[in-house]
Amino acid sequence: MSPTIKMTSPVNLFFREAQATMTCDSLSTDTARDKTDMEQGGVAEAAAQDKMQALGDQVAEVKEEMKMNVKRIIERGEKGLDLLDTAEKMKDEATAFSKTSQKVARAYWWKNAKLVVFIVVVVLIVVLIIILLATGVIPVSASGPAVTPTIKP
């Protein structure tokens, strides 16, 4: 009883070839033994059945392992797609962050420029007042009561 495998994918075709190769190899090496077994009373049929069963078990193990490998590859592909989506989102967020940071930097630059202009204007006004007071353009009143000159008789 050889196990029949109905597969259509490339991986399954690989299993078919492996099974055929293993069957041919085992048959060619065991032919001499089978002849001697037949001479000993027909024990060869039972041995052939055991060998076919062992071969079928090996094929089943390989098939299960390949199924697991294919599942892992599919999961890895899905994770890769998730990583691509995440990378695309991060790229978009980085672009938005860059634009926002430029706007904030520009706003603070204008705020700083306004502050510098305000300080310069205040300093100029103070310097102008000092100059006008020193030149006498702005009269300075004396502190204290006004002294009137006394006339001598």
Side-chain angles (χ1 to χ4, degrees), residues 13 20 36 68 74 90 107 109-110 122 141 148 150:
L13 291 176
T36 58
M68 292 300 294
I74 290 171
M90 289 178 72
W109 184 86
W110 278 110
V122 168
S141 61
T148 57
T150 53

Side-chain angles (χ1 to χ4, degrees), residues 30 32 50 64 70 76 79-80 84 97-98 123 152-153:
D30 295 335
D50 290 341
E64 288 300 317
V70 168
R76 198 176 308 149
K79 288 179 183 177
L84 287 175
F97 177 77
S98 176
V123 168
K152 286 192 184 183

Side-chain angles (χ1 to χ4, degrees), residues 1-148:
M1 295 177 75
S2 65
T4 56
I5 302 172
K6 296 180 182 178
M7 303 180 208
T8 57
S9 71
V11 173
N12 295 336
L13 291 176
F14 170 76
F15 288 124
R16 285 184 190 171
E17 291 175 15
Q19 181 183 11
T21 304
M22 286 190 279
T23 304
C24 290
D25 290 343
S26 65
L27 289 177
S28 65
T29 58
D30 295 335
T31 306
R33 280 187 247 150
D34 290 344
K35 286 182 184 178
T36 58
D37 287 342
M38 289 173 77
E39 292 171 357
Q40 293 177 359
V43 182
E45 286 184 27
Q49 289 294 332
D50 290 341
K51 290 178 184 178
M52 289 300 286
Q53 183 64 33
L55 184 62
D57 292 342
Q58 286 178 349
V59 168
E61 288 177 21
V62 170
K63 182 179 173 183
E64 288 300 317
E65 187 67 31
M66 289 304 289
K67 282 182 182 179
M68 292 300 294
N69 289 341
V70 168
K71 284 181 184 178
R72 288 180 193 142
I73 290 170
I74 290 171
E75 289 173 0
R76 198 176 308 149
E78 289 173 357
K79 288 179 183 177
L81 292 176
D82 290 343
L83 285 175
L84 287 175
D85 290 341
T86 304
E88 188 67 30
K89 287 178 185 176
M90 289 178 72
K91 179 183 173 187
D92 294 341
E93 290 174 2
T95 303
F97 177 77
S98 176
K99 289 179 183 179
T100 303
S101 65
Q102 286 176 355
K103 288 180 183 178
V104 169
R106 213 174 284 126
Y108 275 104
W109 184 86
W110 278 110
K111 193 174 187 179
N112 191 26
K114 289 176 188 176
L115 182 63
V116 168
V117 168
F118 177 74
I119 291 172
V120 168
V121 168
V122 168
V123 168
L124 287 176
I125 290 173
V126 169
V127 168
L128 183 62
I129 290 174
I130 292 172
I131 291 173
L132 291 177
L133 286 174
T135 57
V137 174
I138 299 177
V140 179
S141 61
S143 60
V147 178
T148 57

